Amino acid sequence: MRFQYNKYSQVVAKGLVDAGIAGMEHTTCTTLDVDDVLVESTAPADVSTDDVIAHELAHQWFGDLVTCKDWQDIWLNEGFAAFCEALYFEKSKNEEEYQNYIIQMAKSYLRGTRNPRSKTPIRAIVTNKYEHPDDLFDHNTYAKGGIVLHMLRKNIGDEDFRNSINTYLERFKHKTAETDDLRQIFEDVSGINLQLFFDQWIYREGHPRLNIQSSDDNGKVRLAITQVQEGDAFVFPLDVKFFLPDTDDKSDNVQKERIEKVQISEKDFSKTFDIPMNKVGYIAIDPEFKILKEVLSSNIPQEFISNQLRNGKTIFERLAAAQFLIENPPFSKIALEIMKTVLSKKYLSSSVRIEAIKVLDSSIITGNTDDEAYEYLKQAIKETNDPEVRKEIIGSIGNFKKIDSFDLLKEIAENEKANPYERYSAAIAISNTGHEESIPLLKSLANTTSFHNLVARGAIDSLKIIAINSNEVIRKDIEIFIIEKAKNTEESRLRRTATSALGYLGRYAENKTKIIEQLKSFLQDDSFYVRNTACVALANALEGTADSAALEELEKMAKEDPNSEVRSTAKVCIKIIKGESSDEVRGSFSELEKETKIDSKYKSEKFDLLESVDTLY
Ligand SMILES: [Zn+2]
């Protein structure tokens, strides 16, 4: 359906993001945050806020033209707007970007299900059980809502999907709609009964959590899939793809695949497929991501998974394989081979190349490394132009902890023409080199200005890592430097980084007084991000001390802070300071710590580096 109003404007205002708002979709006139969407002239070419622009524009149809009838149907506004972000990337870029976006959304949803601050980490998309409508604006509404629309699309096909949405907009324009109205239209148009689909994915909480076992049944492939989530089994059709490189026909390397459709209706499913185990190149479960699920464990051979990452047809297949290998790192020789294959395929989406480097990274971090990979990466950085891939390579070079990488990293970090995310990554990596000039270099980088202060923030984080691995004299010197930096910066992102760093330094300081004093003053900061980070930093510095002055301040935050996220963060931090370190509290805290380093709603790859700084937990 075409745009229904006579004009569309976007106005910008100051301070929205610091108040926790990305934008507001008033009919024909959206309000956006000036610092968020009007990127500075120093912004690198690959920085984009297209997702927010697309999201708010989509609301002109989903939210403004057709409005959800009640709060419980808010996903009809927000799930659609989130899904339209992915559609925007499909249309403006390509199918691969769409697939990548859907996967990022799924990751965002799964992270949300572990979010300690969420009152309902797992709930049905449509529910009338909530204390305040604000509680509904979460990962279940946005990310899961968006993914469910992707699943519906895959379920009924593009044409029926498009026609259904047109009918929905036509029938309900200038009116309100509820979820069941949408179901009826999808059913009328497609002729498919969708009651079970809506019941399971929209009116029921959670998602299938799977354990997958493969075995050799007299030479044939046997798969056992077990659902381990609480409650009943999810019922769904599942595609299982067997990739069969044709070993008989060596002449023209013909490759074949076979997709078997199985019906999962019990918690335990198993089947022997008429496919010889020794012909299989890889086995992809749900290669088109038709089902939102979480694979908790799988014993599918690592060789198959490596093949899937190297040769997968869809981005869904490749990213699923990469995720598995990152969590179950292969030997570095294998990781290097995978990375070489993937990096050599220039046509591949950068998301896949980045994931392949992360696989190598995860194998390096386990201490399982060799010089060949290091030399390869040093060569690769010279031959790669894509800034996102370069960032990842730079981080990886740092993880080798080699003193001779200092010059290379210094050159990138100091290069004002280089992409600021690369410079950020290089600044962090410098902490790993052990070079004697690291500290003066990082101090000078901390005083530079760059897009979103990325270089200075990288330098502060890097100094923090050096400090916590050094003696008291060096720690004290870095502490004084960071406190000064924290006090004197106007920009909230840099203040936030310095605040977080002080929490770590406080943990190790013999005398914490100055640090605590500074952190307490940040509890009154204008930016809710900074206040949130200050709570976490205080808890980090004072864990288990039951420090009464800090507890008093945090109790006040938990009751009085205007922002609900800050209030719930303060509650978790109080428990940490009191030393109530149950696994649950500790798990919550470590999630919070990671979160305070994340910048974006669907933390895109761009922000992964901000999260990858060594953490104590
Ligand atoms: Zn929205």
Side-chain angles (χ1 to χ4, degrees):
M1 177 190 278
R2 299 191 77 82
F3 187 66
Q4 295 287 302
Y5 306 104
N6 58 1
K7 64 109 180 161
Y8 183 60
S9 335
Q10 300 174 91
V11 292
V12 288
K14 254 197 164 324
L16 259 68
V17 164
D18 273 338
I21 301 162
M24 184 59 216
E25 66 275 17
H26 313 290
T27 307
T28 76
C29 182
T30 284
T31 307
L32 297 157
D33 185 283
V34 62
D35 296 323
D36 199 33
V37 296
L38 291 187
V39 288
E40 304 154 32
S41 57
T42 51
D46 63 329
V47 164
S48 150
T49 50
D50 291 357
D51 53 348
V52 182
I53 306 279
H55 178 103
E56 304 304 340
L57 178 58
H59 276 314
Q60 298 298 314
W61 287 264
F62 305 100
D64 293 349
L65 188 66
V66 178
T67 307
C68 60
K69 194 176 245 170
D70 197 344
W71 284 117
Q72 65 178 357
D73 297 305
I74 187 64
W75 83 283
L76 294 176
N77 297 19
E78 299 302 347
F80 267 102
F83 178 66
C84 286
E85 295 169 35
L87 286 185
Y88 169 78
F89 289 111
E90 180 179 32
K91 186 84 179 163
S92 66
K93 292 188 174 162
N94 51 46
E95 162 75 17
E96 291 189 347
E97 291 300 324
Y98 169 83
Q99 292 186 16
N100 182 39
Y101 209 80
I102 294 292
I103 292 292
Q104 299 311 326
M105 242 195 267
K107 285 187 182 173
S108 162
Y109 161 72
L110 291 176
R111 266 199 309 278
T113 63
R114 299 186 282 267
N115 181 351
R117 275 194 312 241
S118 176
K119 284 185 191 152
T120 44
I122 296 183
R123 64 162 173 86
I125 291 178
V126 174
T127 175
N128 54 14
K129 293 187 191 111
Y130 53 87
E131 283 174 33
H132 189 279
D134 278 359
D135 300 346
L136 295 171
F137 287 77
D138 67 358
H139 54 285
N140 292 295
T141 290
Y142 285 77
K144 190 181 177 191
I147 292 162
V148 164
L149 288 166
H150 159 79
M151 288 165 60
L152 253 179
R153 178 190 189 183
K154 290 284 171 195
N155 214 292
I156 66 173
D158 275 8
E159 200 184 327
D160 282 348
F161 184 76
R162 210 184 158 82
N163 289 339
S164 301
I165 286 178
N166 266 320
T167 309
Y168 168 72
L169 290 169
E170 280 296 346
R171 197 170 297 169
F172 290 96
K173 69 178 172 189
H174 309 301
K175 292 185 202 148
T176 58
E178 55 189 7
T179 303
D180 218 44
D181 297 326
L182 186 75
R183 178 187 59 79
Q184 279 172 18
I185 289 173
F186 272 110
E187 287 189 345
D188 289 349
V189 172
S190 69
I192 297 172
N193 183 334
L194 293 166
Q195 191 65 55
L196 180 63
F197 183 97
F198 274 66
D199 283 349
Q200 284 193 138
W201 302 107
I202 296 173
Y203 297 112
R204 176 184 170 174
E205 62 179 28
H207 53 272
R209 306 181 82 215
L210 307 177
N211 288 333
I212 297 170
Q213 296 284 315
S214 68
S215 55
D216 186 325
D217 181 1
N218 291 318
K220 304 216 161 132
V221 181
R222 184 171 180 78
L223 282 180
I225 298 173
T226 314
Q227 299 186 38
V228 297
Q229 76 281 351
E230 280 178 22
D232 293 341
F234 279 82
V235 176
F236 53 92
L238 181 71
D239 292 352
V240 181
K241 177 171 131 179
F242 298 90
F243 176 70
L244 307 161
D246 193 348
T247 43
D248 298 336
D249 184 356
K250 291 204 170 63
S251 54
D252 60 348
N253 192 28
V254 181
Q255 295 181 334
K256 290 178 184 161
E257 61 179 47
R258 210 161 106 192
I259 295 181
E260 295 275 333
K261 291 184 184 302
V262 297
Q263 181 63 26
I264 307 280
S265 37
E266 309 276 338
K267 279 204 156 174
D268 289 303
F269 165 90
S270 61
K271 181 178 175 174
T272 300
F273 295 85
D274 188 18
I275 290 174
M277 193 64 142
N278 61 8
K279 298 266 180 177
V280 173
Y282 69 81
I283 304 169
I285 307 291
D286 189 20
E288 291 192 61
F289 201 72
K290 292 178 180 172
I291 303 294
L292 171 61
K293 67 207 158 311
E294 195 174 7
V295 177
L296 300 180
S297 76
S298 160
N299 77 338
I300 291 180
Q302 200 180 58
E303 185 198 338
F304 286 2
I305 311 265
S306 304
N307 285 339
Q308 184 175 336
L309 174 52
R310 273 191 276 229
N311 304 311
K313 192 156 127 192
T314 63
I315 298 292
F316 292 137
E317 285 174 60
R318 292 188 194 254
L319 294 183
Q323 187 63 33
F324 180 85
L325 291 171
I326 290 167
E327 286 162 13
N328 305 278
F331 286 116
S332 81
K333 283 243 179 298
I334 297 169
L336 178 61
E337 285 314 311
I338 294 172
M339 191 184 65
K340 280 182 177 172
T341 318
V342 171
L343 287 191
S344 70
K345 294 181 178 170
K346 299 285 182 218
Y347 60 87
L348 267 180
S349 141
S350 57
S351 59
V352 175
R353 288 188 282 152
I354 288 166
E355 294 303 308
I357 299 164
K358 284 187 186 158
V359 171
L360 179 68
D361 233 18
S362 64
S363 101
I364 299 167
I365 290 167
T366 59
N368 168 7
T369 174
D370 59 51
D371 285 350
E372 197 193 340
Y374 179 63
E375 293 306 323
Y376 180 81
L377 285 170
K378 283 206 302 187
Q379 192 55 34
I381 192 79
K382 291 184 195 148
E383 294 163 3
T384 309
N385 294 322
D386 184 328
E388 286 199 67
V389 178
R390 285 176 57 86
K391 274 182 317 229
E392 208 61 42
I393 295 177
I394 292 164
S396 223
I397 289 176
N399 284 333
F400 281 89
K401 301 186 190 292
K402 299 238 185 203
I403 195 164
D404 79 353
S405 60
F406 180 80
D407 290 340
L408 170 72
L409 296 170
K410 176 175 191 260
E411 196 186 316
I412 297 168
E414 285 186 324
N415 180 0
E416 286 178 14
K417 293 202 177 94
N419 180 298
Y421 289 96
E422 289 176 27
R423 296 178 68 196
Y424 174 91
S425 184
I428 297 274
I430 285 167
S431 66
N432 274 336
T433 62
H435 196 284
E436 58 183 12
E437 285 171 37
S438 297
I439 294 175
L441 171 64
L442 290 168
K443 282 183 177 175
S444 115
L445 290 170
N447 289 323
T448 57
T449 52
S450 58
F451 175 69
H452 285 185
N453 264 323
L454 278 163
V455 180
R457 287 157 70 196
I460 299 271
D461 269 338
S462 199
L463 283 167
K464 168 194 82 185
I465 296 167
I466 292 177
I468 59 185
N469 291 304
S470 301
N471 63 36
E472 182 67 13
V473 179
I474 294 176
R475 266 209 302 274
K476 198 77 204 163
D477 170 63
I478 292 178
E479 175 190 317
I480 293 167
F481 180 82
I482 296 182
I483 288 181
E484 280 310 304
K485 200 76 213 159
K487 271 190 196 161
N488 297 319
T489 178
E490 291 285 303
E491 201 266 328
S492 68
R493 292 182 185 88
L494 183 54
R495 249 187 353 265
R496 203 174 141 194
T497 303
T499 305
S500 166
L502 287 177
Y504 286 92
L505 294 186
R507 206 179 166 84
Y508 289 88
E510 279 167 21
N511 183 344
K512 304 178 199 282
T513 322
K514 284 250 154 44
I515 291 177
I516 302 302
E517 203 175 285
Q518 187 57 45
L519 290 178
K520 280 185 189 162
S521 79
F522 281 139
L523 292 175
Q524 311 304 325
D525 201 273
D526 286 344
S527 163
F528 93 92
Y529 283 121
V530 175
R531 298 200 302 278
N532 212 26
T533 308
C535 292
V536 174
L538 271 174
N540 205 350
L542 296 171
E543 177 171 2
T545 60
D547 182 288
S548 55
L551 283 173
E552 201 177 304
E553 300 258 359
L554 285 173
E555 298 280 5
K556 223 165 80 188
M557 299 292 286
K559 283 199 199 87
E560 293 170 13
D561 194 278
N563 184 287
S564 67
E565 282 192 31
V566 177
R567 292 197 298 274
S568 26
T569 297
K571 282 179 199 154
V572 176
C573 293
I574 287 167
K575 290 186 185 162
I576 292 287
I577 294 179
K578 284 184 177 166
E580 293 173 12
S581 306
S582 68
D583 284 354
E584 200 185 328
V585 173
R586 179 125 297 294
S588 295
F589 186 61
S590 98
E591 287 296 319
L592 277 179
E593 281 215 289
K594 280 188 222 151
E595 261 195 41
T596 53
K597 298 198 183 79
I598 300 174
D599 276 24
S600 147
K601 186 171 48 134
Y602 298 133
K603 185 181 68 66
S604 69
E605 293 302 324
K606 202 160 287 164
F607 297 100
D608 265 11
L609 283 168
L610 304 185
E611 200 190 8
S612 70
V613 182
D614 291 354
T615 50
L616 294 169
Y617 300 102

